[in-house]
Amino acid sequence: MNTRVRFAPSPTGSLHLGSVRTAIFNYLFSKQTNGSLILRIEDTDKGRSTSHSQEEILSSLKWLGIQWNEGPYLQSERIEIYQNYANILLSEGKAYKCFSSQEEINRIKEQAKKEKKIYKYPRIWRDRKDHPQNKDFVIRFKTPDNKIIDFKDTLRGKIEIESNNLDDFIIIKSDGFPTYNFASAIDDIEMKITNVIRGEDHLSNTPKQILIYNSLNAKIPDFTHVSMILGKDKTKLSKRHGAESIDNFKSMGFLPVSIINYLARLGWSFGDQEIFSLNEMEANFSLDNLNKSPAIFDLEKFTWVNSNQIKKADTNYLKELINFKFIEGIDIDLAILSAKEKSKDLIQLKEVLSFCETKELNIDDKSIESINDCDKKILEKFLNSFMDYNFKNMDEIEDFFKNFLLNNNLKMKNLAFPLRLILTGSKNSPGIYQILKILSKELISYRVKRFL
RNA sequence: GGCCCCUUCGUCUAGUGGUUUAGGACAUCGCCCUUUCACGGCGGCAACACGGGUUCGAAUCCCGUAGGGGUCACCA
């Protein structure tokens, strides 16, 4: 049987690193097993769901390159389905209408708090037949007493919980919308999900969902509850830990593949390998290599992964991403090739390449001062013979450069340092031979003469 | 607090009873390379939470303790 997995975010904010990793694991698993990834939007909270964040989630997934095979299905458009199932449970006596008002419930909760007892809905309407007319109600599940609910988690093994720890939880709210546990279970049944891969925070919801599966005689999928991602202070990752949404990392100059690589590697491993292409991850991902303990998000290692991915990235791809207006005559391929070797993110890549973008360079006075009159004479001499020479490749530039040094009794730094400064305006630039090849002769001449 | 989950270098992890003086990576420190900044190369520092078992033998299996996390909503 083909595997069917789903990613089911709720559109109540932008995509968080933790949910992105869940999406990645589901995506990689579907690829590895030749299955399908279903995208489902869990928008049953009328108050908090927004179409804005829904769009943001979709565009983030697309940007990352996480493609889904079905959906997005919106739960808000499937209300009838949940109500039908709720009616089945109602008619079979497995659920009941509850007419207790919010105020009444709140009172009971407060009372429980005062007495330091655990609140559990006292089942007031569980067996009552005297239903009032024209009064709001919710539908609650009849949780059985004294039963052991167990299920197998592929990562954590058999998990058991006593039904007595569970409440008669609500499955349909008074506005007719389903609650998370109900909608989620029903959809997983309806969509024939074979593997539920989600965050560990859902572990304690699973028994309730098992109850629903059982009450409908539905087949229970394989569960895999992946550990959380924590911040540096070992608490749940949040805004306090800096950039958390994918958009943030995008604007910090991270590549999609870097995000997938780093996040996947947080909790998953494949021997000693650290850097993966998308294809490699799709081919090698396995639930068996998942780690049970929570992982701390480390921006430094993430950045290291990104710098590796940038070095590996295709030149044309980077060219598209940075969307630069290069000065005419620039050897763009060589420029990018040499700049990516020294960049850890896209921002830095652009900085390094900035000498290829604007004709006029801003060189600060202090740097100018460091070049003396003697240098100027050398530079002029260098420029003259450089302009006369016809280079076919960088090797010839190197030969020419070295010969010039030899003939003029100069050391490398005597010429390379001022030349680099004049030609790029920066200390962080490619090697001098590369600079001389990247820039057109005209531009080299222009920049040197302007200095003289 | 009840229930559930987790515990190998500072961090991500390898390790599935003997091949382990516990391996790799990030970070850090030192050296080398060097035309800037980087890259790179070589090397150092650094971990099985604790206590009991089981076993000829345990990071690996069992129990307990401690610590951390999650969850207890008409949120998902």
Side-chain angles (χ1 to χ4, degrees), chain A residues 302-324:
Chain A
F302 187 16
T303 304
W304 175 80
V305 169
N306 196 42
S307 73
N308 277 272
Q309 291 290 0
I310 284 185
K311 283 176 189 55
K312 275 179 67 181
D314 179 72
T315 300
N316 285 324
Y317 172 65
L318 290 176
K319 200 191 295 179
E320 275 174 44
L321 283 184
I322 58 175
N323 191 25
F324 237 58

mmCIF file of all heavy atoms in Angstrom, chain A residues 302-324:
data_model
loop_
_atom_site.group_PDB
_atom_site.id
_atom_site.type_symbol
_atom_site.label_atom_id
_atom_site.label_comp_id
_atom_site.label_asym_id
_atom_site.label_seq_id
_atom_site.Cartn_x
_atom_site.Cartn_y
_atom_site.Cartn_z
ATOM 1 N N PHE A 302 23.565 26.430 11.734
ATOM 2 C CA PHE A 302 22.654 26.708 10.631
ATOM 3 C C PHE A 302 23.375 27.566 9.589
ATOM 4 O O PHE A 302 23.324 27.301 8.376
ATOM 5 C CB PHE A 302 21.428 27.428 11.194
ATOM 6 C CG PHE A 302 20.310 27.635 10.217
ATOM 7 C CD1 PHE A 302 20.240 26.932 9.023
ATOM 8 C CD2 PHE A 302 19.291 28.539 10.515
ATOM 9 C CE1 PHE A 302 19.189 27.125 8.133
ATOM 10 C CE2 PHE A 302 18.240 28.732 9.642
ATOM 11 C CZ PHE A 302 18.188 28.032 8.454
ATOM 12 N N THR A 303 24.070 28.581 10.061
ATOM 13 C CA THR A 303 24.804 29.472 9.173
ATOM 14 C C THR A 303 25.912 28.720 8.446
ATOM 15 O O THR A 303 26.158 28.934 7.259
ATOM 16 C CB THR A 303 25.421 30.631 9.986
ATOM 17 O OG1 THR A 303 24.370 31.285 10.703
ATOM 18 C CG2 THR A 303 26.118 31.628 9.089
ATOM 19 N N TRP A 304 26.556 27.815 9.157
ATOM 20 C CA TRP A 304 27.607 27.006 8.550
ATOM 21 C C TRP A 304 27.038 26.134 7.431
ATOM 22 O O TRP A 304 27.623 25.992 6.358
ATOM 23 C CB TRP A 304 28.277 26.152 9.626
ATOM 24 C CG TRP A 304 29.302 25.200 9.102
ATOM 25 C CD1 TRP A 304 30.593 25.502 8.760
ATOM 26 C CD2 TRP A 304 29.124 23.799 8.858
ATOM 27 N NE1 TRP A 304 31.217 24.357 8.310
ATOM 28 C CE2 TRP A 304 30.350 23.314 8.355
ATOM 29 C CE3 TRP A 304 28.051 22.920 9.010
ATOM 30 C CZ2 TRP A 304 30.527 21.961 8.007
ATOM 31 C CZ3 TRP A 304 28.222 21.586 8.666
ATOM 32 C CH2 TRP A 304 29.452 21.127 8.167
ATOM 33 N N VAL A 305 25.880 25.554 7.696
ATOM 34 C CA VAL A 305 25.211 24.749 6.670
ATOM 35 C C VAL A 305 24.914 25.617 5.450
ATOM 36 O O VAL A 305 25.161 25.236 4.312
ATOM 37 C CB VAL A 305 23.900 24.127 7.212
ATOM 38 C CG1 VAL A 305 23.068 23.526 6.083
ATOM 39 C CG2 VAL A 305 24.207 23.062 8.250
ATOM 40 N N ASN A 306 24.423 26.821 5.725
ATOM 41 C CA ASN A 306 24.087 27.718 4.623
ATOM 42 C C ASN A 306 25.313 28.075 3.785
ATOM 43 O O ASN A 306 25.240 28.091 2.559
ATOM 44 C CB ASN A 306 23.435 28.983 5.182
ATOM 45 C CG ASN A 306 22.716 29.796 4.111
ATOM 46 O OD1 ASN A 306 22.030 29.224 3.254
ATOM 47 N ND2 ASN A 306 22.881 31.103 4.142
ATOM 48 N N SER A 307 26.436 28.331 4.449
ATOM 49 C CA SER A 307 27.629 28.697 3.685
ATOM 50 C C SER A 307 28.075 27.523 2.813
ATOM 51 O O SER A 307 28.546 27.711 1.693
ATOM 52 C CB SER A 307 28.752 29.168 4.615
ATOM 53 O OG SER A 307 29.303 28.074 5.304
ATOM 54 N N ASN A 308 27.901 26.318 3.326
ATOM 55 C CA ASN A 308 28.231 25.142 2.518
ATOM 56 C C ASN A 308 27.303 25.006 1.324
ATOM 57 O O ASN A 308 27.734 24.657 0.226
ATOM 58 C CB ASN A 308 28.147 23.873 3.370
ATOM 59 C CG ASN A 308 29.414 23.638 4.158
ATOM 60 O OD1 ASN A 308 30.336 23.020 3.666
ATOM 61 N ND2 ASN A 308 29.469 24.177 5.358
ATOM 62 N N GLN A 309 26.031 25.253 1.560
ATOM 63 C CA GLN A 309 25.062 25.127 0.470
ATOM 64 C C GLN A 309 25.279 26.201 -0.587
ATOM 65 O O GLN A 309 25.062 25.953 -1.767
ATOM 66 C CB GLN A 309 23.623 25.195 1.020
ATOM 67 C CG GLN A 309 23.226 23.989 1.856
ATOM 68 C CD GLN A 309 23.064 22.705 1.036
ATOM 69 O OE1 GLN A 309 23.246 22.679 -0.181
ATOM 70 N NE2 GLN A 309 22.718 21.612 1.712
ATOM 71 N N ILE A 310 25.700 27.382 -0.150
ATOM 72 C CA ILE A 310 25.974 28.445 -1.117
ATOM 73 C C ILE A 310 27.170 28.076 -1.982
ATOM 74 O O ILE A 310 27.171 28.278 -3.194
ATOM 75 C CB ILE A 310 26.182 29.798 -0.391
ATOM 76 C CG1 ILE A 310 24.813 30.314 0.046
ATOM 77 C CG2 ILE A 310 26.900 30.802 -1.273
ATOM 78 C CD1 ILE A 310 24.811 31.680 0.667
ATOM 79 N N LYS A 311 28.176 27.485 -1.373
ATOM 80 C CA LYS A 311 29.339 27.051 -2.145
ATOM 81 C C LYS A 311 28.957 25.991 -3.168
ATOM 82 O O LYS A 311 29.508 25.922 -4.261
ATOM 83 C CB LYS A 311 30.415 26.499 -1.208
ATOM 84 C CG LYS A 311 31.182 27.588 -0.479
ATOM 85 C CD LYS A 311 32.161 26.977 0.514
ATOM 86 C CE LYS A 311 32.785 28.039 1.405
ATOM 87 N NZ LYS A 311 31.789 28.865 2.118
ATOM 88 N N LYS A 312 28.004 25.155 -2.782
ATOM 89 C CA LYS A 312 27.570 24.081 -3.689
ATOM 90 C C LYS A 312 26.594 24.561 -4.757
ATOM 91 O O LYS A 312 26.373 23.882 -5.757
ATOM 92 C CB LYS A 312 26.855 22.978 -2.871
ATOM 93 C CG LYS A 312 27.793 21.956 -2.258
ATOM 94 C CD LYS A 312 27.004 20.935 -1.461
ATOM 95 C CE LYS A 312 26.116 20.058 -2.348
ATOM 96 N NZ LYS A 312 25.339 19.080 -1.559
ATOM 97 N N ALA A 313 25.980 25.712 -4.498
ATOM 98 C CA ALA A 313 24.880 26.154 -5.365
ATOM 99 C C ALA A 313 25.349 26.481 -6.779
ATOM 100 O O ALA A 313 26.472 26.929 -6.995
ATOM 101 C CB ALA A 313 24.194 27.361 -4.745
ATOM 102 N N ASP A 314 24.462 26.242 -7.698
ATOM 103 C CA ASP A 314 24.712 26.521 -9.097
ATOM 104 C C ASP A 314 24.817 28.028 -9.343
ATOM 105 O O ASP A 314 24.059 28.810 -8.780
ATOM 106 C CB ASP A 314 23.553 25.942 -9.914
ATOM 107 C CG ASP A 314 23.722 26.218 -11.385
ATOM 108 O OD1 ASP A 314 24.602 25.582 -11.976
ATOM 109 O OD2 ASP A 314 22.987 27.078 -11.910
ATOM 110 N N THR A 315 25.766 28.424 -10.161
ATOM 111 C CA THR A 315 26.009 29.844 -10.414
ATOM 112 C C THR A 315 24.786 30.562 -10.992
ATOM 113 O O THR A 315 24.434 31.655 -10.559
ATOM 114 C CB THR A 315 27.206 30.016 -11.365
ATOM 115 O OG1 THR A 315 28.361 29.443 -10.747
ATOM 116 C CG2 THR A 315 27.467 31.484 -11.640
ATOM 117 N N ASN A 316 24.158 29.926 -11.944
ATOM 118 C CA ASN A 316 22.972 30.550 -12.552
ATOM 119 C C ASN A 316 21.843 30.727 -11.549
ATOM 120 O O ASN A 316 21.118 31.723 -11.571
ATOM 121 C CB ASN A 316 22.480 29.715 -13.734
ATOM 122 C CG ASN A 316 23.375 29.899 -14.937
ATOM 123 O OD1 ASN A 316 23.883 31.001 -15.174
ATOM 124 N ND2 ASN A 316 23.594 28.834 -15.674
ATOM 125 N N TYR A 317 21.717 29.742 -10.681
ATOM 126 C CA TYR A 317 20.694 29.802 -9.641
ATOM 127 C C TYR A 317 20.949 30.998 -8.731
ATOM 128 O O TYR A 317 20.044 31.790 -8.437
ATOM 129 C CB TYR A 317 20.714 28.490 -8.857
ATOM 130 C CG TYR A 317 19.859 28.437 -7.623
ATOM 131 C CD1 TYR A 317 18.473 28.526 -7.705
ATOM 132 C CD2 TYR A 317 20.439 28.272 -6.360
ATOM 133 C CE1 TYR A 317 17.684 28.465 -6.573
ATOM 134 C CE2 TYR A 317 19.660 28.199 -5.229
ATOM 135 C CZ TYR A 317 18.284 28.295 -5.332
ATOM 136 O OH TYR A 317 17.521 28.229 -4.196
ATOM 137 N N LEU A 318 22.203 31.157 -8.316
ATOM 138 C CA LEU A 318 22.545 32.286 -7.449
ATOM 139 C C LEU A 318 22.349 33.605 -8.180
ATOM 140 O O LEU A 318 21.904 34.590 -7.601
ATOM 141 C CB LEU A 318 23.999 32.157 -6.972
ATOM 142 C CG LEU A 318 24.283 31.034 -5.977
ATOM 143 C CD1 LEU A 318 25.768 30.957 -5.665
ATOM 144 C CD2 LEU A 318 23.485 31.232 -4.693
ATOM 145 N N LYS A 319 22.679 33.607 -9.459
ATOM 146 C CA LYS A 319 22.513 34.813 -10.266
ATOM 147 C C LYS A 319 21.056 35.264 -10.224
ATOM 148 O O LYS A 319 20.753 36.439 -10.039
ATOM 149 C CB LYS A 319 22.927 34.499 -11.705
ATOM 150 C CG LYS A 319 23.256 35.731 -12.525
ATOM 151 C CD LYS A 319 23.395 35.408 -13.998
ATOM 152 C CE LYS A 319 24.555 34.487 -14.315
ATOM 153 N NZ LYS A 319 24.655 34.170 -15.749
ATOM 154 N N GLU A 320 20.158 34.309 -10.373
ATOM 155 C CA GLU A 320 18.727 34.628 -10.321
ATOM 156 C C GLU A 320 18.331 35.154 -8.950
ATOM 157 O O GLU A 320 17.603 36.126 -8.838
ATOM 158 C CB GLU A 320 17.893 33.379 -10.608
ATOM 159 C CG GLU A 320 17.662 33.087 -12.074
ATOM 160 C CD GLU A 320 16.945 31.753 -12.244
ATOM 161 O OE1 GLU A 320 15.977 31.502 -11.490
ATOM 162 O OE2 GLU A 320 17.373 30.966 -13.114
ATOM 163 N N LEU A 321 18.829 34.485 -7.914
ATOM 164 C CA LEU A 321 18.434 34.845 -6.565
ATOM 165 C C LEU A 321 18.853 36.252 -6.164
ATOM 166 O O LEU A 321 18.084 36.980 -5.544
ATOM 167 C CB LEU A 321 19.026 33.850 -5.548
ATOM 168 C CG LEU A 321 18.357 32.495 -5.428
ATOM 169 C CD1 LEU A 321 19.009 31.699 -4.314
ATOM 170 C CD2 LEU A 321 16.865 32.650 -5.159
ATOM 171 N N ILE A 322 20.080 36.619 -6.511
ATOM 172 C CA ILE A 322 20.535 37.932 -6.049
ATOM 173 C C ILE A 322 19.991 39.051 -6.923
ATOM 174 O O ILE A 322 19.921 40.185 -6.489
ATOM 175 C CB ILE A 322 22.080 38.033 -5.967
ATOM 176 C CG1 ILE A 322 22.714 37.746 -7.316
ATOM 177 C CG2 ILE A 322 22.615 37.077 -4.923
ATOM 178 C CD1 ILE A 322 24.208 37.954 -7.316
ATOM 179 N N ASN A 323 19.579 38.707 -8.144
ATOM 180 C CA ASN A 323 18.890 39.679 -8.990
ATOM 181 C C ASN A 323 19.649 41.012 -9.058
ATOM 182 O O ASN A 323 19.134 42.056 -8.687
ATOM 183 C CB ASN A 323 17.484 39.895 -8.429
ATOM 184 C CG ASN A 323 16.617 40.669 -9.387
ATOM 185 O OD1 ASN A 323 16.866 40.658 -10.600
ATOM 186 N ND2 ASN A 323 15.622 41.362 -8.861
ATOM 187 N N PHE A 324 20.859 40.938 -9.523
ATOM 188 C CA PHE A 324 21.793 42.061 -9.522
ATOM 189 C C PHE A 324 21.846 42.742 -10.877
ATOM 190 O O PHE A 324 21.677 42.095 -11.905
ATOM 191 C CB PHE A 324 23.190 41.480 -9.244
ATOM 192 C CG PHE A 324 23.869 42.069 -8.058
ATOM 193 C CD1 PHE A 324 23.289 42.022 -6.813
ATOM 194 C CD2 PHE A 324 25.126 42.654 -8.199
ATOM 195 C CE1 PHE A 324 23.949 42.544 -5.715
ATOM 196 C CE2 PHE A 324 25.781 43.178 -7.115
ATOM 197 C CZ PHE A 324 25.196 43.122 -5.873
#
